[in-house]
């Protein structure tokens, strides 16, 4: 409340100080280093196999299998974290992933055949511990548990998205540097060491208790307890048979004899959430199509080594814009921010269609990065407000899978399109995906998770005058 009269820079600084106050300085460092391997192994596996086997086809299949493994198993990792807590799940997956990446490197250096490398790549992707999405879920849980304002929760999401952006800029850059100076295997080995050490440190950090399921540790319960009996065959669905009762309150109807159940049935997916997942998949498609177009254009100009730097410039600008999101006034609601971000992405992507030179490419792509992080931050915020707390980690896992899957599919499709029809064709796909994302922002109406009176304990604070749920029970 005390920040309303401050200029944007002061308001953002105060918000980030409150965010760091929730975790201490160690957790952001550990979570950043712990998510860096995810950004490294995707590109690193391609360069590694291309170097050891001399086949771009085998390299592409290995990298694609790694991405597919992460997309398919990411939601499972999130669901396990929701059910068993982050400490056990992240610790196990970090150690297994370190072994999987090490075996992939050893297999590539030993000259294993393509099918074996594809299988090892899939295992390496399937065991990614999802430090980024789980760090986001943990920080939001800490903010909610402390009673932080919506501006602080928004700053937490901005902070986490900025760390993601920086990791996905720095990871490929480090791999490329290792490939030029020595061998991609060194970057992959470093990724395995980082995920083992920093993933373990993230798992064992005291804040891991913040996301414990109900009844385990000092963290906030995932859902309030319910009274009732087990659903018998032929009964209505479970969510119509249970009643959420805040602790200490009398039951408005006689409780059915039976044991006390301490966990709600798995809450259903709210209606607006699939639209948010689709928006993230389309955002990933924009990333992938831009990546293919940038690669094709720089290659056509005889400056193929500039592709990574151009893409990095977009990522750095996106990270800066993400940090600046904490300065946006609270009166600008989440749905308004979503529409503005997607509209800006569409408008700023159109100049790519007429870009033919390297200086112009740098300029257009860098400016385009302004729209990316604000869109991701806003969609993650809408998801956090839409789902039950007991499904937050799983939701963040699905969201990340949608983003990665959209990017991988777009790279595969538009890469071939750019080879046959030129970079403009790939950029056209990026603009079309941005346009579809804007349509979703105009039509999808995400609901705030409040539901019936029994869920009022988990209702979110309305996020501005455009929030359709303003006035909900808090």
């Amino acid at each position: 409340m005390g920040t309303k009269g401050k200029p944007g820079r002061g308001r953002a600084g105060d918000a980030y100080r409150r965010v760091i106050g929730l975790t201490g300085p160690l957790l952001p460092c550990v979570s950043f280093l712990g998510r860096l391997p995810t950004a490294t192994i995707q590109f690193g596996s391609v360069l590694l196999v291309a170097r050891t086997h001399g086949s771009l086809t085998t390299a592409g299949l290995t990298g694609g299998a790694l991405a597919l493994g992460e997309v398919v198993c990411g939601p499972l990792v999130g669901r396990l974290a929701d059910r068993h807590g982050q400490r056990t799940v992240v610790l196990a997956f970090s150690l297994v992933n370190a072994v999987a990446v090490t075996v992939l490197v050893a297999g590539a250096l030993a000259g294993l055949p393509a099918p074996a490398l594809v299988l090892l790549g899939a295992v390496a992707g399937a065991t990614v511990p999802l430090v980024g999405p789980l760090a986001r879920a943990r920080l939001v849980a800490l903010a909610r548990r402390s009673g932080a304002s919506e501006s602080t929760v928004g700053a937490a999401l901005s902070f986490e998205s900025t760390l993601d952006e920086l990791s996905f800029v720095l990871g490929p850059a480090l791999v490329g540097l290792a490939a030029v100076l020595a061998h991609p295997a060194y970057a992959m080995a470093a990724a395995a060491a980082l995920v083992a050490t920093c993933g373990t440190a993230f798992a064992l950090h005291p804040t891991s208790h913040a996301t414990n399921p109900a009844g385990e540790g000092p963290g906030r319960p995932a859902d309030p307890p319910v009274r009732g009996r087990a659903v018998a065959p032929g009964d209505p669905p479970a969510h119509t048979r249970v009643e959420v009762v805040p602790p200490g309150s009398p039951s408005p109807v006689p409780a059915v004899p039976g044991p006390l159940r301490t966990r709600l049935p798995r809450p259903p997916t709210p209606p607006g959430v699939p639209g948010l997942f689709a928006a993230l998949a389309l955002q990933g498609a924009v990333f992938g199509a831009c990546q293919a177009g940038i690669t094709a254009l720089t290659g056509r100009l005889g400056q193929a080594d500039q592709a990574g730097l151009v893409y990095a410039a977009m990522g750095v600008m996106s990270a800066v814009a993400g940090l600046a999101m904490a300065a946006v006034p609270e009166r600008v609601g989440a749905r308004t921010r979503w529409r503005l971000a997607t509209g800006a992405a569409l408008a700023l992507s159109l100049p790519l269609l007429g870009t033919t030179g390297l200086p112009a490419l740098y300029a257009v792509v860098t400016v385009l990065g302004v729209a990316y992080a604000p869109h991701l931050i806003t969609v993650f915020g809408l998801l956090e407000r839409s789902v039950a707390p007991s499904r937050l980690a799983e939701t963040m896992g699905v969201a990340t899978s949608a983003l990665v899957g959209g990017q991988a599919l777009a790279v595969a499709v538009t890469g071939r399109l750019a080879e046959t029809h030129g970079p403009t064709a790939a950029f056209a796909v990026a603009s079309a995906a941005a346009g579809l994302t804007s349509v979703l922002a105009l039509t999808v109406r995400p609901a705030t998770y409040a539901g019936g009176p029994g869920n009022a304990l988990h209702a979110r604070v309305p996020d501005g005058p455009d929030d359709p749920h303003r006035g909900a029970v808090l």
Side-chain angles (χ1 to χ4, degrees):
M1 298 295 293
T3 64
K4 286 187 177 179
K6 293 188 177 183
R9 184 178 299 178
R11 184 165 54 241
D14 288 345
Y16 287 123
R17 277 191 288 272
R18 290 193 295 271
V19 169
I20 298 299
L22 293 171
T23 64
L26 178 62
L27 183 63
C29 296
V30 167
S31 71
F32 174 72
L33 293 174
R35 76 188 77 192
L36 197 58
T38 305
T40 302
I41 61 175
Q42 175 69 53
F43 186 41
S45 63
V46 174
L47 292 185
L48 173 67
V49 176
R51 175 75 68 89
T52 58
H53 286 62
S55 169
L56 290 178
T57 299
T58 302
L61 288 173
T62 303
L66 193 150
L68 182 62
E70 183 180 352
V71 168
V72 172
C73 293
L76 174 62
V77 177
R79 184 181 296 186
L80 289 173
D82 280 331
R83 185 169 298 177
H84 303 290
Q86 289 190 10
R87 172 167 290 196
T88 301
V89 173
V90 176
L91 182 61
F93 273 84
S94 295
L95 297 177
V96 173
N97 185 243
V99 173
V101 173
T102 302
V103 173
L104 173 61
V105 173
L109 294 175
L112 291 182
L117 291 178
V118 170
L119 178 60
L120 291 176
V123 173
T127 55
V128 167
L130 290 187
V131 171
L134 296 183
R136 185 178 288 111
R138 185 184 300 188
L139 191 52
V140 167
L142 288 168
R144 294 294 183 193
R145 191 179 67 173
S146 69
S149 65
E150 287 297 308
S151 63
T152 301
V153 176
L157 291 169
S158 298
F159 183 70
E160 284 296 325
S161 292
T162 300
L163 293 183
D164 279 342
E165 291 285 349
L166 291 175
S167 70
F168 278 97
V169 169
L170 186 58
L174 292 176
V175 173
L177 185 63
V180 170
L181 297 179
H183 197 283
Y186 289 107
M188 294 288 285
L194 271 179
V195 76
T197 55
C198 295
T200 297
F202 176 78
L204 299 180
H205 194 275
T207 56
S208 63
H209 291 301
T211 55
N212 278 355
E216 296 182 19
R220 187 186 69 175
D223 287 297
V226 297
R227 296 192 184 109
R229 62 176 175 83
V231 180
D235 280 351
H239 65 271
T240 66
R241 298 291 300 172
V242 299
E243 175 197 0
V244 183
V245 183
S249 64
S251 176
V253 294
V256 180
L260 180 68
R261 290 165 58 191
T262 59
R263 183 178 296 174
L264 281 171
R266 188 166 176 265
T269 301
V273 168
L276 296 173
F277 289 151
L280 289 173
L282 287 169
Q283 179 67 77
V286 175
F287 288 152
C290 283
Q291 183 177 341
I294 290 168
T295 302
L297 181 55
T298 53
R300 176 175 290 187
L301 295 172
Q303 300 284 338
D305 57 337
Q306 293 288 317
L309 294 177
V310 174
Y311 202 69
M314 181 171 64
V316 170
M317 181 57 71
S318 179
V320 171
L323 283 174
M325 282 291 289
V328 176
E330 292 184 44
R331 65 177 178 271
V332 182
R335 292 187 65 215
T336 298
R337 294 198 298 271
W338 191 20
R339 292 167 178 172
L340 289 173
T342 55
L346 172 59
L348 295 175
S349 69
L350 295 177
L352 285 171
L353 300 176
T355 302
T356 57
L358 191 61
L361 181 64
Y362 266 107
V364 172
V365 167
T366 300
V367 174
L368 178 58
V370 171
Y372 285 162
H375 178 224
L376 294 177
I377 291 165
T378 302
V379 173
F380 279 122
L382 289 168
L383 283 170
E384 188 272 330
R385 292 175 178 88
S386 298
V387 302
S390 60
R391 292 191 63 179
L392 184 56
E394 178 187 359
T395 299
M396 293 302 171
V398 174
T400 301
S401 292
L403 191 65
V404 173
Q407 181 174 3
L409 181 61
V411 167
V413 173
T414 58
R416 183 167 298 181
L417 196 63
E419 286 182 354
T420 55
H421 299 284
T424 302
F427 290 143
V429 173
S431 293
L436 291 175
T437 308
S438 186
V439 170
L440 284 176
L442 292 171
T443 56
V444 173
R445 299 180 64 86
T448 298
Y449 179 69
N455 289 332
L457 291 178
H458 299 291
R460 305 294 197 257
V461 178
D463 193 70
D466 67 332
D467 193 312
H469 297 276
R470 176 170 288 278
V473 179
L474 300 179

